[in-house]
């Protein structure tokens, strides 16, 4: 009770702390506000790579293996072993350099989050410096993906649990084994949240790919009537280039989202 004449006691309820934005929204905002910084590291890798890959794909089916089937879903069942090996090599090289582009984007995103954006060369340097580790990680993930395609679904757990190894490698320089351990430890108890982040990347990929496919189909519409083998092969080769263009905004978003997740999870672990 207040004594008579005493001023009233005001009880002030402190404002509640603002809720943190979801990772996907933070990533979208970061990419939209920094298109050049987040997309250029991937673009300088993916676009030339996709053009070279399309040319190599065309050369394989048009010149080296002119009788090989390239249109049916089961085409690899009857393909020459040399052709299969060349396609696997193309995929492996593409994955390796894509990891370099992703690593450079991760570095760029980390610096943007810290308020000190860096030039393209500075974002690419850590990824190329640690290219040996990226090569081993890429080969490991590639083999795990092949095992998954062969029906060994359990390896998906390891793919996801080691999904932050590239972040630890390029951001913290933890080495190959240390990066796998950091990713395994960081994702303990956070697997479902991380899968949710990855699924938002799938949604972005579907959206970007749909838009790209519409533009691509409109461009090829005049050539679609009774196409020859060469025309069909050109269309498929152009599809490889389309995939390269689609991977730039998709990869930029996914790199931003997973980097935000990685930094946040490390801060929570230290708290």
């Amino acid at each position: 009770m207040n004594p008579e004449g005493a001023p009233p006691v005001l009880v002030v309820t402190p404002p509640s702390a603002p809720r943190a934005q979801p990772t996907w929204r933070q990533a979208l905002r970061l990419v939209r506000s920094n298109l050049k910084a987040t997309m250029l590291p991937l673009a300088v890798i993916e676009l030339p790579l996709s053009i070279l890959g399309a040319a190599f794909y065309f050369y394989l089916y048009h010149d080296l293996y002119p009788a090989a089937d390239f249109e049916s879903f089961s085409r690899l069942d009857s393909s020459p072993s040399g052709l299969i090996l060349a396609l696997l090599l193309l995929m492996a090289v593409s994955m390796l350099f894509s990891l370099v582009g992703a690593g450079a984007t991760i570095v760029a995103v980390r610096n943007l989050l810290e308020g000190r954006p860096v030039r393209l060369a500075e974002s690419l340097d850590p990824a190329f410096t640690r290219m040996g580790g990226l090569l081993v990680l890429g080969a490991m993930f590639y083999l795990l993906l092949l095992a998954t395609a062969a029906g060994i679904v359990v390896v998906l757990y390891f793919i996801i649990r080691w999904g932050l190894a590239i972040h630890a490698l390029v951001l913290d320089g933890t080495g190959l084994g240390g990066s796998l351990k950091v990713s395994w430890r960081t994702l303990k108890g956070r697997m479902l949240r991380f899968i949710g982040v990855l699924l938002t990347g799938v949604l972005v990929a579907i959206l970007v790919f749909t838009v790209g496919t519409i533009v691509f189909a409109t461009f090829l519409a005049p050539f679609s009537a009774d196409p020859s083998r060469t025309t069909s092969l050109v269309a498929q080769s152009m599809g490889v280039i389309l995939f390269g263009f689609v991977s730039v905004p998709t990869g930029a978003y996914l790199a931003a989202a997973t980097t935000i997740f990685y930094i946040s999870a490390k801060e929570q672990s230290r708290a």
Side-chain angles (χ1 to χ4, degrees):
M1 294 179 62
N2 287 334
E4 189 175 350
V9 177
L10 298 179
V11 179
V12 179
T13 304
S16 57
R19 293 181 60 186
Q21 289 187 336
T23 300
W24 67 267
R25 184 169 294 175
Q26 295 180 57
L28 277 180
R29 175 177 295 181
L30 184 73
V31 173
R32 288 173 57 189
S33 303
N34 303 275
L35 290 176
K36 182 179 178 180
T38 55
M39 292 194 186
L40 194 56
L42 276 168
V44 298
I45 298 289
E46 292 291 345
L47 299 188
L49 188 65
S50 64
I51 294 172
L52 291 174
F56 184 65
Y57 182 85
F58 182 86
Y59 175 70
L60 281 176
Y61 281 102
H62 188 266
D63 295 300
L64 288 184
Y65 301 95
D69 178 27
F70 64 91
E71 294 184 298
S72 66
F73 286 106
S74 59
R75 60 190 183 212
L76 293 182
D77 295 341
S78 57
S79 295
S81 57
L83 175 58
I84 296 175
L85 180 61
L87 291 174
L88 290 175
L89 180 62
L90 176 62
M91 290 175 60
V93 171
S94 299
M95 177 174 289
L96 168 62
F97 282 96
S98 295
L99 282 176
V100 173
T105 307
I106 288 168
V107 172
V109 168
R110 191 271 307 274
N111 284 278
L112 286 170
L113 292 172
E114 294 179 351
R116 47 184 186 90
V118 295
R119 294 174 298 176
L120 175 63
E122 294 174 290
S123 62
L124 287 169
D125 181 66
F128 277 107
T129 301
R130 298 179 173 91
M131 197 169 180
L134 289 174
L135 173 62
V136 177
L137 280 178
M140 185 187 69
F141 282 118
Y142 188 57
L143 292 175
L144 289 174
L145 286 172
L146 289 178
T148 304
I152 310 176
V153 183
V154 70
V155 299
L156 277 174
Y157 177 82
F158 295 95
I159 293 176
I160 296 171
R161 194 70 186 262
W162 287 328
L164 294 174
I166 183 176
H167 299 71
L169 182 66
V170 298
L171 295 182
D172 301 323
T174 50
L176 180 61
S179 299
L180 294 173
K181 291 178 182 178
V182 168
S183 178
W184 192 274
R185 185 171 60 250
T186 303
L187 286 173
K188 183 179 181 181
R190 300 183 176 95
M191 283 277 289
L192 290 180
R193 286 175 52 204
F194 186 58
I195 291 173
V197 171
L198 296 179
L199 288 177
T200 63
V202 173
L203 294 176
V204 171
I206 291 174
L207 176 62
V208 176
F209 186 78
T210 300
V211 174
T213 302
I214 293 173
V215 175
F216 180 67
T218 303
F219 173 76
L220 289 180
F223 308 99
S224 60
D226 193 23
S228 64
R229 175 183 172 89
T230 301
T231 303
S232 298
L233 189 53
V234 168
Q236 285 207 11
S237 300
M238 293 292 291
V240 175
I241 297 177
L242 170 65
F243 182 81
F245 275 86
V246 168
S247 67
V248 172
T250 303
Y253 165 79
L254 199 53
T258 54
T259 302
I260 291 170
F261 181 92
Y262 175 72
I263 293 173
S264 174
K266 284 186 63 180
E267 290 176 349
Q268 292 171 9
S269 298
R270 285 196 295 262

